[in-house]
Amino acid sequence: FPMAATDPQVLALAAEITESREQDIPLLLLKLNGILNSPSLGREESNKIKQDIYDYGLTQYCLLVLKRDHSQLRGAWATAAQLAEILSHCCVGLEVKEDPEEFYEKFLPSAIDSLLVLGKRLQARFIRAIKDKEKQDFLHWFQIVTDAICWLFHGHIQLAACVLQNDRFLQLLITDDVETAIVMMSMLHNILRINSSVLLQVEEETLHSVLDELVYKLSSTTNPAVGSAATKLLLLVAKFCKQLVQLLTARYKGLKGLLSKQWTGKGFDRELNQLLDLLYLEQSNGKGEMQKQHQAACIIQAAWRGFQTRKRLKKLPQAVITLQRSFRAKREQELQHLTKQKEDEALKLQMQLQRQRAMRLFHERQLALLEVVHASQVNKYMEEMEEKSALTIQRFWRGYRERRIFHQQKQSLKEYKAAIIIQRAACKFLEKRRRRRPLSPWKEPKGLTDEQRLALQQKVDDYIKLHPASQMSEERSKELHMQAQAKLAQFLLRSRLDQRAAQRREALLAQVNTDVELLMNAPGLAETTEKDLGAFMSRSIPVATKARQTHNTMLKYTRWPWWKKLGDEFMEDDVIPDDAINTELETLFIGGRK
C-alpha cells in the first residue's frame, strides 16, 4: 500500500472489501459514488482520492465486477450501470506516475471493452423486454453506460479510436431499434466532436462500416429523430475533411437524391441543406476533371479498338484455315467412329452365327452318336462326356486361378526385391558411417560417494530390521533336505510305474479291440480253415489284413465318379480324406512295446 497520507474513507472501504465476502463486494463498491461526489472536495482533493482509489485496487475491483455475470449481482443491472459510472469517474482526471503503460495501454482499453459489453447486453435486454416499465429501466441503464463511455474518452482522448475500432461498438450501432440507435449516434457525435481526426486514424474497413450504417438508416427508416441524427453526423464528417466528402460522393451515388426527396421538410432542413451544398459543391468541382478523364478514356478505347480490329483482320485467313482443319478432323473422326461401329456389329453377328452353327453341329454329332451307341452304353457314354466336361471346366478354372496368383505374386516379388535393395543400401550406409565414427574412449562407471554409500547402507539396515530372517539350525536344515529328497524319489518311482501301467492298459485295450473285430468278421466253425486259425494265432496277420483293407478303401476312393469329387477340387490328387481312412484304421493294433 502507498505510504503517503490516505483518505480515511477510502482506507476504511478498502479494509471492509478485503474482509467481506465476494457477493457483498459490488454493493460496497457503490459507496465510492458518495466519496467521489462529496460537495466539500476541491479539484486537487478529488484527484488525490482517485489516486488513492486506484492505488488500493478499488478501480480494478470495479472492472472485475463488470466482467462477471451481471444477472447474479445484487441489484442486477442497476448495480452494474452504477459501477460503470463510478469506473469512468475514477479514471477521468487520474494521472498514474508508477507504471503508466499498464494503466493507459491495458487497463483503459479493457475498461472500454467491458463497458461496451455491458451496453450490448443492456441493448439486447431492452429489445426483448415486453413491459413498458422494464423497457424504460433498461433504456435508462443503457444511457448511463453510454454516458460513462463518453465521459471516459472525454478525459482520455486517445480512447476514441479504441471505441470506434471495437467490434462491439459496430454491433451496438447496427440495430433497427430507434431508441438505442439514437443513443449510439449521439455517442458517435460526441466522439467526432471531441476528437475530429479519429476517422482518419481508424482502418478503412471500420470507416466504411460506420458510413454504410448511417446511409442505411437514412434509406430504411422514416423516423425524423433517426434521420436528424444521421444527417448531423454526415454533416460533421463532411465538414471535417474534404477526402470524406469525396468518399461520400463516390461511394454513395444516390445520396443527394435520397436526402432531397425523403428528408426535406422533416424539421432539420438547415443541416440537410448544408450537407447537400457540400455534396453538390464537390460534384461541381469534380465535373471538369471527370470530363477530362472521360475524353482520355474515349481516346484510349478508340485506339485499343482499332488495334484489336487490325489484329483480328490479320489473323482472319489463319482462323479460316484452322476452322477448316478442325471441321475436317471432326468429320474424319465421326467417319472412323461409324466404320468401327459397323465392324463391331458385323463381328458380333458373325460370332453369333458361328456359335449357332457350332451348337447345331454339336447337337447333330450327339444325335448321330446316340444312334450308333447301344442302349445299354448310353449312360456310360453320358457319364464320360460329363466327366470330360467337368475336367475341361476344372482345367480352365485352375489355369485362371494360377494366372491370377502369379500376377499377385509378381507384384509382391517385385516389392520384396525392392525392399532387399533398399535394406542393403541402408546397411552399407550405416556400416560406412559406423566405420568413420571414431571410437569413444572407455569411461569407467561413476562410483558411489561416501554419502551415497552411507545412505544405501542405512536403507539396507532399516529393511533388515523391518524384515528379520527366520533362524534355523544346520541339523534342522539337513533333516528337511533329506525328507524332500525321499519324497521326490517316491514320486518319481510312482510316476514311472503309473506310466508303464497306462501303456500296458492301452496296448491290451487295442489288442482286445482287434481280436473283437476279427471274431466278428470270422467265418462260421463249419467253414473254418487252417488259414483262418493262423489269423488268431499270429500278431502280424491282423496288421496285414488292416493294411489291405485300407488299400482297398483308397482304390475305391480314386474310382469315385467326378460329381462326388466336386467338393474336393482344390485338394491334391494323392490326398485321401481322413474320414475314409479313419473308419478303417480306428481299431488297428500295432504290436510291440516301448
Side-chain angles (χ1 to χ4, degrees):
F1 283 176
M3 299 302 294
T6 306
D7 186 81
Q9 295 179 351
V10 176
L11 185 60
L13 181 59
E16 187 177 0
I17 290 175
T18 305
E19 297 175 357
S20 61
R21 296 178 300 174
E22 184 178 357
Q23 56 268 25
D24 298 333
I25 292 177
L27 295 179
L28 294 175
L29 290 174
L30 295 179
K31 296 181 180 180
L32 290 173
N33 195 12
I35 298 174
L36 293 171
N37 296 328
S38 178
S40 60
L41 292 178
R43 183 175 180 180
E44 295 182 358
E45 290 81 358
S46 178
N47 293 337
K48 179 62 173 59
I49 289 178
K50 293 177 182 179
Q51 184 67 41
D52 294 340
I53 291 173
Y54 180 79
D55 292 339
Y56 278 91
L58 300 181
T59 311
Q60 290 83 347
Y61 265 117
C62 291
L63 183 59
L64 291 175
V65 172
L66 288 178
K67 291 182 178 180
R68 291 169 50 190
D69 186 8
H70 308 101
S71 60
Q72 303 296 328
L73 298 177
R74 290 188 179 180
W77 301 103
T79 303
Q82 294 178 17
L83 288 176
E85 187 177 12
I86 292 171
L87 178 62
S88 65
H89 281 286
C90 289
C91 293
V92 174
L94 177 62
E95 295 181 0
V96 179
K97 297 180 180 179
E98 295 182 0
D99 196 5
E101 295 181 357
E102 177 71 21
F103 177 72
Y104 291 105
E105 297 182 4
K106 294 183 180 180
F107 182 79
L108 290 179
S110 179
I112 287 290
D113 187 71
S114 299
L115 293 178
L116 289 174
V117 170
L118 177 59
K120 180 62 179 174
R121 292 178 180 176
L122 287 171
Q123 185 187 48
R125 294 298 181 105
F126 170 75
I127 295 173
R128 291 199 301 266
I130 299 175
K131 298 179 181 180
D132 294 338
K133 181 65 170 60
E134 291 182 355
K135 294 182 75 69
Q136 291 177 2
D137 292 339
F138 281 115
L139 182 59
H140 175 65
W141 297 329
F142 181 72
Q143 290 176 346
I144 292 175
V145 174
T146 54
D147 292 342
I149 296 174
C150 293
W151 182 257
L152 189 58
F153 64 71
H154 177 75
H156 303 278
I157 301 177
Q158 72 277 8
L159 294 179
C162 180
V163 173
L164 286 181
Q165 290 178 350
N166 197 303
D167 294 337
R168 294 179 178 84
F169 174 77
L170 293 177
Q171 294 173 6
L172 288 168
L173 183 63
I174 301 173
T175 179
D176 294 332
D177 183 69
V178 177
E179 289 83 356
T180 57
I182 294 173
V183 174
M184 289 306 301
M185 285 190 287
S186 176
M187 186 171 72
L188 180 59
H189 190 275
N190 292 331
I191 292 175
L192 296 178
R193 188 166 49 83
I194 293 171
N195 188 2
S196 57
S197 63
V198 69
L199 291 177
L200 298 179
Q201 299 175 5
V202 299
E203 297 179 356
E204 184 178 2
E205 183 179 359
T206 303
L207 176 61
H208 289 173
S209 299
V210 173
L211 295 178
D212 290 345
E213 182 59 24
L214 295 177
V215 175
Y216 172 76
K217 291 185 185 301
L218 288 173
S219 62
S220 63
T221 184
T222 58
N223 192 304
V226 176
S228 175
T231 303
K232 291 178 181 178
L233 278 174
L234 290 178
L235 178 60
L236 189 61
V237 170
K239 285 182 177 179
F240 164 66
C241 183
K242 187 177 180 180
Q243 297 177 358
L244 298 180
V245 180
Q246 295 175 357
L247 176 63
L248 290 174
T249 307
R251 186 175 177 85
Y252 310 104
K253 301 294 184 181
L255 180 60
K256 297 183 292 296
L258 174 66
L259 293 173
S260 59
K261 291 179 182 179
Q262 185 173 344
W263 295 105
T264 303
K266 298 292 184 178
F268 50 94
D269 291 342
R270 187 170 62 85
E271 292 83 359
L272 182 63
N273 292 331
Q274 291 180 6
L275 179 60
L276 288 174
D277 291 340
L278 290 174
L279 295 177
Y280 281 119
L281 180 61
E282 178 62 28
Q283 184 178 4
S284 62
N285 293 333
K287 276 187 177 180
E289 186 67 24
M290 289 294 294
Q291 289 179 357
K292 293 181 181 179
Q293 293 179 0
H294 180 71
Q295 292 177 359
C298 291
I299 295 172
I300 293 172
Q301 290 176 357
W304 172 253
R305 290 193 187 98
F307 170 73
Q308 288 290 98
T309 303
R310 290 190 295 272
K311 186 177 180 181
R312 190 163 50 251
L313 289 175
K314 287 181 181 179
K315 292 184 177 180
L316 187 60
Q318 185 66 25
V320 173
I321 294 172
T322 305
L323 180 62
Q324 292 176 351
R325 187 185 298 113
S326 62
F327 174 75
R328 293 191 188 98
K330 185 175 180 181
R331 186 176 60 183
E332 184 67 23
Q333 186 178 2
E334 291 179 353
L335 291 175
Q336 290 179 0
H337 180 69
L338 291 174
T339 304
K340 184 177 180 182
Q341 188 175 2
K342 290 180 180 179
E343 291 178 355
D344 293 341
E345 292 178 355
L347 180 61
K348 188 184 297 182
L349 181 61
Q350 185 178 1
M351 291 178 63
Q352 187 176 2
L353 292 175
Q354 289 180 358
R355 192 179 296 109
Q356 291 178 356
R357 191 181 297 112
M359 290 295 294
R360 186 168 58 252
L361 292 175
F362 174 72
H363 289 304
E364 290 177 356
R365 192 181 301 111
Q366 276 192 338
L367 291 175
L369 289 174
L370 289 175
E371 291 177 357
V372 175
V373 177
H374 194 268
S376 61
Q377 301 294 326
V378 171
N379 292 334
K380 183 177 179 181
Y381 172 73
M382 294 300 295
E383 290 179 358
E384 291 178 355
M385 292 300 296
E386 290 177 354
E387 186 174 357
K388 289 181 180 180
S389 301
L391 290 175
T392 303
I393 294 171
Q394 291 175 0
R395 184 170 63 253
F396 278 101
W397 163 250
R398 290 192 183 100
Y400 166 73
R401 184 185 61 186
E402 292 299 329
R403 285 191 297 273
R404 186 176 63 183
I405 293 174
F406 173 74
H407 287 302
Q408 294 177 355
Q409 291 179 350
K410 186 177 180 181
Q411 182 65 23
S412 301
L413 182 61
K414 186 184 295 184
E415 294 177 357
Y416 177 73
K417 290 182 178 179
I420 290 177
I421 293 172
I422 294 172
Q423 291 175 357
R424 185 183 298 117
C427 291
K428 288 182 179 179
F429 170 74
L430 294 175
E431 182 65 22
K432 289 180 180 179
R433 191 170 67 176
R434 187 182 61 81
R435 290 177 179 177
R436 292 175 183 175
R437 185 184 303 169
L439 296 177
S440 58
W442 182 79
K443 297 181 180 179
E444 294 184 359
K446 295 183 177 179
L448 296 175
T449 61
D450 295 338
E451 296 179 356
Q452 293 177 347
R453 189 177 292 104
L454 291 175
L456 185 60
Q457 184 64 35
Q458 183 65 31
K459 289 183 179 179
V460 172
D461 296 339
D462 294 341
Y463 183 83
I464 293 174
K465 290 179 181 179
L466 291 175
H467 306 85
S470 59
Q471 299 293 332
M472 182 181 292
S473 62
E474 185 177 358
E475 292 79 5
R476 179 59 180 170
S477 176
K478 290 182 179 180
E479 183 181 356
L480 289 176
H481 176 71
M482 296 301 294
Q483 291 178 3
Q485 290 294 327
K487 290 183 178 180
L488 179 61
Q490 292 177 4
F491 172 75
L492 294 175
L493 180 61
R494 192 183 302 110
S495 62
R496 191 177 296 109
L497 294 175
D498 294 342
Q499 185 178 3
R500 290 180 181 178
Q503 291 178 356
R504 181 172 181 78
R505 283 195 301 272
E506 291 178 0
L508 291 175
L509 190 60
Q511 181 178 357
V512 169
N513 290 334
T514 305
D515 294 339
V516 169
E517 188 175 356
L518 290 176
L519 289 173
M520 291 177 66
N521 297 329
L525 294 176
E527 302 175 356
T528 305
T529 61
E530 292 183 1
K531 186 176 181 181
D532 296 329
L533 293 176
F536 292 95
M537 296 177 65
S538 174
R539 290 290 91 191
S540 61
I541 293 178
V543 176
T545 304
K546 291 302 176 182
R548 184 167 58 254
Q549 291 177 358
T550 304
H551 179 69
N552 292 334
T553 301
M554 293 180 180
L555 291 177
K556 190 186 298 182
Y557 177 78
T558 56
R559 294 171 184 171
W560 281 357
W562 62 273
W563 47 269
K564 286 188 177 181
K565 300 179 181 178
L566 286 178
D568 305 327
E569 59 180 347
F570 297 105
M571 294 173 55
E572 299 293 337
D573 296 337
D574 56 347
V575 176
I576 307 300
D578 295 337
D579 297 339
I581 300 176
N582 292 337
T583 54
E584 301 295 337
L585 296 179
E586 60 184 357
T587 59
L588 179 62
F589 169 70
I590 306 299
R593 293 184 178 178
K594 294 183 181 180

